[in-house]
Amino acid sequence: MDHQHSQNSGMNDSSSHASSSDPYNTGRSDTYSPDFAEPPAEHLKHSGPGISSFIVGLVGLIGHIMIFLLLYLALYSSFGILDSSISREELALHPAVILSSLAFLVCLILNLAGLVLGIIGLVQKNRRKVFAIIGTIMNGLLILLFAGLVLGGIYMA
């Protein structure tokens, strides 16, 4: 019995043959290469720049909405929006228009920074990209809307 047991254990042990032919094999059957392996999806962390891009996009969206509302209220209380006796120069030099234009530029710079952060979050490896995708899309759309406003203003003049 001892003789058969020792022969069977030697014959069925494939790791002993692999370890004798490969000097670098440590007897482990799993091959893990850190360069090519990605951790499972449930263990991935969210991308830091992606989260920042999402937050900047939300701040920019809320900023744009607040600027529109405040500009509307300021102009409505000063002139009455439908009053046609207001010249373009008088409207353009109104403090509410000047301040809202500067605030739009600040929001645009924020959106550009958010777009860059979103792209950085998209190219990071081994990170979740949900916030980076949402932040990139949100910031990109806000930049496109601002460009549309500028082009609309150019063609209206």
Side-chain angles (χ1 to χ4, degrees):
M1 274 310 214
D2 288 333
H3 182 64
Q4 281 182 343
H5 181 60
S6 65
Q7 279 183 340
N8 284 341
S9 66
M11 293 289 218
N12 292 335
D13 188 19
S14 61
S15 66
S16 65
H17 283 78
S19 65
S20 64
S21 64
D22 187 8
Y24 297 108
N25 189 358
T26 59
R28 295 175 59 189
S29 62
D30 60 332
T31 57
Y32 176 73
S33 175
D35 296 334
F36 301 110
E38 293 185 16
E42 67 260 3
H43 297 296
L44 290 178
K45 291 182 178 180
H46 286 284
S47 170
I51 294 171
S52 300
S53 172
F54 177 72
I55 291 171
V56 167
L58 282 178
V59 168
L61 178 66
I62 292 169
H64 285 296
I65 292 170
M66 294 298 292
I67 292 167
F68 269 122
L69 289 175
L70 292 175
L71 179 64
Y72 174 78
L73 292 173
L75 291 178
Y76 186 75
S77 68
S78 293
F79 299 116
I81 293 293
L82 299 177
D83 189 7
S84 62
S85 65
I86 304 169
S87 67
R88 286 186 182 179
E89 291 82 20
E90 187 180 4
L91 185 62
L93 293 176
H94 192 274
V97 174
I98 294 172
L99 289 176
S100 65
S101 298
L102 291 174
F104 269 118
L105 289 176
V106 169
C107 285
L108 179 67
I109 292 170
L110 267 173
N111 291 131
L112 286 172
L115 185 67
V116 170
L117 285 170
I119 292 171
I120 291 171
L122 287 174
V123 298
Q124 280 186 331
K125 294 182 180 179
N126 297 330
R127 298 287 183 182
R128 290 187 182 184
K129 298 182 183 348
V130 175
F131 285 114
I133 291 170
I134 295 170
T136 303
I137 291 171
M138 189 182 318
N139 286 303
L141 286 176
L142 289 171
I143 291 169
L144 286 176
L145 286 173
F146 183 81
L149 280 174
V150 170
L151 290 176
I154 289 172
Y155 286 117
M156 286 182 102

